[in-house]
Amino acid sequence: MGSKMPRYKHILGKGNVQFTPEEEAEYDAQAIADQKIRDEYAKVKYKDDRKMAYPEIGDQLDDLFKQGAFSEEMTAKLQQVKTDHPKPN
Amino acid sequence: MASIIKVDEIKSQANGSAISIASGGAVTVNNGIADAGTISAGTLGSSVVVPASIGGGEVLLDTHTANNDTATLEVDLTQYTTFETYRIRFVNWVPATRDKDFRMQVGTASNSMHTSYRTSTHRGNFNGSTSGDGNSSSTSYLLFAFGAGTTVPPTVYEGMCLESFIYEPRDSTKRTRSLAQINLFDVSSYTRIYNTAGISLAQQDDAYWHFTWESGGNTLTGKFYLYGIKNA
């Protein structure tokens, strides 16, 4: 395996400068921390995905009001969202 | 037949020096131009000062075009004239790897970025059929953007356009503040709007700024502009 490619920064008006070993270590540590956050988020991401995909709350309430319970059509839409965005095991 | 006058200096009747002419021909008007009439051609040099009251209120200090060779864009304000307020603009700023957060920190030196902020973001998204909105916050960055979802990272996106004001970063008695609007766009034809406001908790001269993508990834393409805004 080859060694890791060095990182560079661009200082506006001055040009590109290679990272110092300290900067490389700092960015590596940050990348590990970022990945931990991402891993945690992956466990609950389905909630956000479902939230964005569900029909508008107003439409749901309207359906509920008119039918006394969710209509078959609305129930199918809600179920489809859950199916499309399953909770991770 | 053309006439030629060779002189070094032209004076007024009262002996005041009006125009000096260098050996190479450069002209110096020693006591100003009372009325230039209409200047119909030529280019103003970069050191010409345009008063804020006639349209020179904003000065383009520098630009940078990204080409996938750097992980951090760093601004060192000590090399420019100091302004109270700065404006920054990113146009089509695209990470080399998809799905990355964008971040800004400020500090007193390149290797001394401050890490405590209070930044609040209101965000919305729309892809033609699905829309959503919400709020997010950060204690680690003066300015940040991430994809739709919750307070931590994002779904896929490709790049962004950003307009932001940075207030009084060089005033060591003030906290640096930011106000930004960001348009994050992605491969799924989502556009995401971020309205974000942040403050650094430190009162210090934040002459150095870092712009980075999450995990230290490079910027694939994009253009950056730095402006200084004068007090009128």
Side-chain angles (χ1 to χ4, degrees):
Chain A
M1 292 289 286
S3 58
K4 191 179 69 172
M5 292 286 287
R7 294 184 181 97
Y8 290 81
K9 59 184 175 183
H10 181 88
I11 305 174
L12 198 64
K14 295 181 179 177
N16 292 357
V17 178
Q18 188 172 343
F19 273 23
T20 64
E22 291 76 19
E23 287 172 329
E24 287 283 2
E26 180 187 336
Y27 273 61
D28 286 343
Q30 186 62 53
I32 292 170
D34 288 339
Q35 190 57 51
K36 280 185 180 175
I37 293 173
R38 280 181 173 271
D39 291 344
E40 286 301 309
Y41 176 63
K43 297 173 186 172
V44 295
K45 181 175 178 294
Y46 75 97
K47 292 182 181 178
D48 290 319
D49 294 339
R50 287 181 180 181
K51 190 177 176 183
M52 288 206 301
Y54 279 137
E56 293 288 336
I57 289 291
D59 291 341
Q60 293 187 46
L61 288 173
D62 188 57
D63 185 76
L64 202 55
F65 177 76
K66 287 176 177 170
Q67 307 294 329
F70 279 134
S71 63
E72 288 185 13
E73 183 185 0
M74 182 59 76
T75 302
K77 284 181 181 176
L78 296 174
Q79 184 57 56
Q80 190 61 49
V81 172
K82 288 179 179 292
T83 304
D84 291 344
H85 305 286
K87 183 179 180 180
N89 295 323
Chain B
M1 181 178 170
S3 300
I4 298 174
I5 301 173
K6 295 183 178 180
V7 293
D8 298 318
E9 187 177 16
I10 298 174
K11 290 189 172 184
S12 69
Q13 292 274 15
N15 210 32
S17 181
I19 297 173
S20 300
I21 303 173
S23 60
V27 173
T28 299
V29 180
N30 293 310
N31 287 293
I33 301 173
D35 183 355
T38 299
I39 300 173
S40 56
T43 304
L44 294 176
S46 60
S47 60
V48 171
V49 176
V50 180
S53 58
I54 60 167
E58 191 168 283
V59 181
L60 178 61
L61 298 175
D62 224 326
T63 66
H64 171 59
T65 301
N67 61 353
N68 196 23
D69 63 355
T70 55
T72 303
L73 173 60
E74 185 173 308
V75 174
D76 169 6
L77 289 177
T78 63
Q79 64 183 315
Y80 307 110
T81 302
T82 299
F83 293 88
E84 183 181 279
T85 302
Y86 295 83
R87 186 163 74 89
I88 56 175
R89 161 184 287 181
F90 289 90
V91 179
N92 293 334
W93 199 251
V94 177
T97 306
R98 279 169 28 173
D99 194 12
K100 297 297 178 191
D101 294 357
F102 178 77
R103 301 159 169 177
M104 175 190 184
Q105 289 184 315
V106 297
T108 54
S110 175
N111 60 357
S112 181
M113 288 293 104
H114 192 58
T115 55
S116 293
Y117 303 86
R118 295 291 182 267
T119 301
S120 178
T121 297
H122 180 246
R123 54 189 167 72
N125 58 275
F126 182 57
N127 70 349
S129 60
T130 303
S131 63
D133 57 47
N135 297 287
S136 307
S137 60
S138 172
T139 58
S140 303
Y141 303 101
L142 181 66
L143 193 158
F144 69 101
F146 41 62
T150 180
T151 54
V152 282
T155 52
V156 171
Y157 58 76
E158 290 290 343
M160 65 167 202
C161 296
L162 177 152
E163 298 280 348
S164 176
F165 292 97
I166 310 296
Y167 301 102
E168 298 178 297
R170 302 302 314 277
D171 187 334
S172 60
T173 69
K174 302 273 181 62
R175 292 171 163 180
T176 299
R177 284 140 286 146
S178 69
L179 192 61
Q181 281 201 316
I182 303 167
N183 176 353
L184 243 127
F185 45 88
D186 74 10
V187 289
S188 306
S189 299
Y190 258 108
T191 182
R192 310 185 199 285
I193 169 68
Y194 295 87
N195 288 309
T196 177
I199 57 171
S200 169
L201 293 191
Q203 296 176 354
Q204 59 186 20
D205 179 358
D206 290 316
Y208 293 83
W209 303 351
H210 282 183
F211 299 99
T212 57
W213 292 108
E214 175 188 357
S215 304
N218 284 2
T219 299
L220 184 65
T221 59
K223 188 99 181 189
F224 172 74
Y225 301 85
L226 173 67
Y227 302 86
I229 299 177
K230 296 177 183 174
N231 293 326

